[in-house]
């Protein structure tokens, strides 16, 4: 939030990609080693409140006229809905170049496609690089998003229903 305030005071453009994931073990060890407060929140509920609170702060600043843009890089449907509600409440147009959404390709594609279909700016990203670096990253994303992975059943069901509708004319 210090950077957000610094940008406001200096009349600079602020840009951010909001991510929920963390390297919990590494961050905790680093905080201990360097003598600062552990940045990992105690519960997942605290993490959700914090993430949505940052969205609220950025939306408030946008409403006040601060020059900014941010990406809600999340697979969490509640945070995505929260952001869309705030955009509507504050009359932030979907094509305003203030708010963007982003997800990992293959995760929450149904959410990404729905957002895109509704006119929101949505980006899918594909990690690439040496397999030894990419696989641990993807495993961490899977662990962090286990609730998303369990929703793949929901996504498969939706795809199945859509296929039936298209092929059977139902």
């Amino acid at each position: 939030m210090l950077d957000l305030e610094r940008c406001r005071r200096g009349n600079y453009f602020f840009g951010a990609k909001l991510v929920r994931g963390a390297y919990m073990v590494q961050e905790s060890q680093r905080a201990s080693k360097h003598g600062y407060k552990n940045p990992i929140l105690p519960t997942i509920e605290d993490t959700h409140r914090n993430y949505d609170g940052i969205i609220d702060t950025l939306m408030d600043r946008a409403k006040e006229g601060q020059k900014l843009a941010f990406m809600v890089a999340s697979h969490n449907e509640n945070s995505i809905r929260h952001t869309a509600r705030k955009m509507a409440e504050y009359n932030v147009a979907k094509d305003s170049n203030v708010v963007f959404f982003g997800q990992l390709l293959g995760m929450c594609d149904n959410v990404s496609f729905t957002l895109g279909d509704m006119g929101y700016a949505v980006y899918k990203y594909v990690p690439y690089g040496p397999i030894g670096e990419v696989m641990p990253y993807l495993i961490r994303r899977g662990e962090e998003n286990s609730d998303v992975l369990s929703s793949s059943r929901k996504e498969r069901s939706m795809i199945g229903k859509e296929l039936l509708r298209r092929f059977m004319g139902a």
Side-chain angles (χ1 to χ4, degrees):
M1 291 302 162
L2 293 174
D3 289 337
L4 180 63
E5 182 56 28
R6 187 176 298 126
C7 287
R8 187 191 63 75
R9 279 187 275 125
N11 199 31
Y12 304 121
F13 190 91
F14 177 84
K17 176 182 173 188
L18 306 181
V19 298
R20 188 182 313 265
Y23 298 95
M24 295 173 73
V25 173
Q26 296 93 327
E27 288 289 343
S28 297
Q29 289 171 345
R30 188 168 197 270
S32 177
K33 179 181 176 182
H34 295 288
Y36 60 84
K37 184 181 173 202
N38 188 339
I40 306 301
L41 296 169
T43 68
I44 191 66
E45 291 78 18
D46 291 333
T47 301
H48 294 327
R49 271 191 297 280
N50 184 62
Y51 191 90
D52 292 346
I54 293 168
I55 291 168
D56 292 345
T57 298
L58 292 172
M59 293 298 294
D60 289 343
R61 292 291 183 94
K63 183 178 180 182
E64 293 166 6
Q66 183 169 349
K67 298 181 293 189
L68 60 83
F70 63 97
M71 176 176 280
V72 176
S74 179
H75 300 106
N76 183 287
E77 291 183 43
N78 290 331
S79 291
I80 292 167
R81 278 196 222 51
H82 175 79
T83 305
R85 278 193 302 272
K86 280 290 190 183
M87 290 175 72
E89 178 185 336
Y90 286 4
N91 294 315
V92 174
K94 296 171 186 175
D95 63 352
S96 65
N97 292 322
V98 172
V99 180
F100 304 87
F101 295 91
Q103 292 94 27
L104 176 63
L105 182 65
M107 292 183 78
C108 280
D109 289 339
N110 61 313
V111 174
S112 305
F113 297 147
T114 301
L115 285 168
D117 193 47
M118 295 171 70
Y120 292 95
V122 183
Y123 294 86
K124 298 299 275 188
Y125 74 95
V126 179
Y128 65 93
I131 193 79
E133 294 176 20
V134 173
M135 286 310 294
Y137 172 84
L138 291 173
I139 290 168
R140 282 193 300 275
R141 297 293 81 76
E143 289 169 349
E144 291 167 4
N145 294 291
S146 60
D147 58 326
V148 170
L149 294 176
S150 68
S151 74
S152 65
R153 272 178 258 132
K154 173 182 163 186
E155 194 166 338
R156 278 195 310 271
S157 172
M158 292 169 63
I159 290 169
K161 287 178 184 173
E162 179 61 16
L163 286 172
L164 277 174
R165 184 189 72 76
R166 289 183 185 194
F167 289 122
M168 305 302 273

